[in-house]
Amino acid sequence: MPSSAAVDNPWFRRFNPSDSAPARVVIFPHAGGSASYYLEYANALAPHADVLAVQYPGRQNRFLEPTISSVDELADELFRELQDWTDRPFLFFGHSMGAAVAFETARRFERNGVKGPERLFVSAGRAPSLPRDSEVHTLPDDELFAEIVELGGTDERILDIPALKELILPALRADYTAIETYRCARDATVSVPITGLVGETDPNATVEQVGQWDRHTTGGFDLRVFPGGHFYLADRIAEVVQLVVSRLHG
């Protein structure tokens, strides 16, 4: 099992290592996102949990690695990597694309008879079996960037920095390919409880679409609606952390 020393695993950023925390929270980022986007969440959760922020390949410290453009392949890899971190109870928190990756990773734990997460938080991600007819991943570069800026999770100033756009583009396109080509059966479930979180004005994952996660668990479902859009969580850190911590101890 991991020691208090930083573990050299590129799949995870462990900003506040804690071997005394009673539980772990694994955070799965959104399309185009990185582990560092969730630094404030890791800091806020630190007194309560040892936080592993997932770092998908092709960005930041994994810039030189090939990207992965499949939710299923990401889940396969993360299932393997997370088995070294099961020495205490843990939860999954996935935002947008990360919700699908977290769900598929949880399914792999159950399918293989390995003790997995005790709860799944799905944030700003429509239920996995709902149709996905968008093709953002096929757009020309500038239109792809404009799409993510409109959702609110990216600083529009990157559009004025060609070198930065070039660095970000491969991972961004791979992530959108992954989520837009992802398919899930209507009867696919996990046995653990699912908590849905959604911004009330989110155009990408509506309250009704996130509410349909209830069909994908046999362990119970509850839904929390927050003011804001697709990246409501940037302005609601204290409230979201409070919700996670309440489930952590419950």
Side-chain angles (χ1 to χ4, degrees):
M1 295 301 173
S3 68
S4 58
V7 176
D8 187 19
N9 186 324
W11 279 95
F12 309 112
R13 298 294 303 275
R14 199 173 174 218
F15 298 110
N16 297 283
S18 173
D19 285 340
S20 61
R24 283 201 170 94
V25 174
V26 184
I27 299 177
F28 297 73
H30 54 281
S34 61
S36 62
Y37 184 89
Y38 298 87
L39 174 60
E40 289 186 70
Y41 273 88
N43 290 339
L45 284 164
H48 309 280
D50 185 43
V51 178
L52 303 181
V54 172
Q55 188 79 295
Y56 307 130
R59 67 213 72 201
Q60 293 190 337
N61 59 308
R62 304 189 71 185
F63 170 70
L64 295 178
E65 298 180 46
T67 58
I68 294 176
S69 56
S70 161
V71 166
D72 286 324
E73 188 176 344
L74 285 168
D76 288 342
E77 295 284 350
L78 283 160
F79 167 64
R80 283 191 289 268
E81 299 297 334
L82 281 167
Q83 289 180 65
D84 289 334
W85 299 87
T86 59
D87 57 325
R88 68 191 85 171
F90 60 102
L91 311 176
F92 285 173
F93 184 103
H95 184 71
S96 195
M97 180 189 81
V101 180
F103 175 67
E104 288 296 340
T105 304
R107 290 182 69 198
R108 281 151 176 76
F109 273 92
E110 294 192 359
R111 186 184 306 156
N112 288 277
V114 180
K115 183 173 174 55
E118 297 193 348
R119 180 177 290 268
L120 180 61
F121 290 87
V122 292
S123 169
R126 64 182 65 181
S129 59
L130 291 178
R132 299 175 186 275
D133 53 7
S134 61
E135 294 189 345
V136 174
H137 69 282
T138 67
L139 293 175
D141 295 352
D142 286 344
E143 292 181 37
L144 175 59
F145 279 109
E147 183 77 18
I148 64 165
V149 168
E150 185 176 353
L151 280 177
T154 305
D155 190 332
E156 63 184 56
R157 288 174 295 184
I158 68 168
L159 299 177
D160 300 322
I161 309 174
L164 183 56
K165 287 171 60 179
E166 187 176 346
L167 288 175
I168 296 171
L169 183 62
L172 182 63
R173 197 175 291 283
D175 289 354
Y176 268 90
T177 300
I179 192 57
E180 291 183 333
T181 60
Y182 170 59
R183 299 292 180 268
C184 176
R186 184 181 176 87
D187 61 354
T189 60
V190 290
S191 63
V192 297
I194 293 179
T195 296
L197 303 89
V198 60
E200 62 184 354
T201 59
D202 189 342
N204 201 52
T206 66
V207 173
E208 190 273 336
Q209 289 171 328
V210 177
Q212 291 192 48
W213 276 94
D214 65 350
R215 73 172 67 143
H216 292 287
T217 175
T218 60
F221 175 80
D222 65 302
L223 180 67
R224 287 288 302 272
V225 181
F226 296 86
H230 195 64
F231 284 92
Y232 74 90
L233 79 174
D235 299 316
R236 301 287 166 179
I237 295 174
E239 294 166 66
V240 174
V241 167
Q242 183 180 31
L243 175 62
V244 172
V245 170
S246 71
R247 300 297 191 270
L248 203 62
H249 297 314

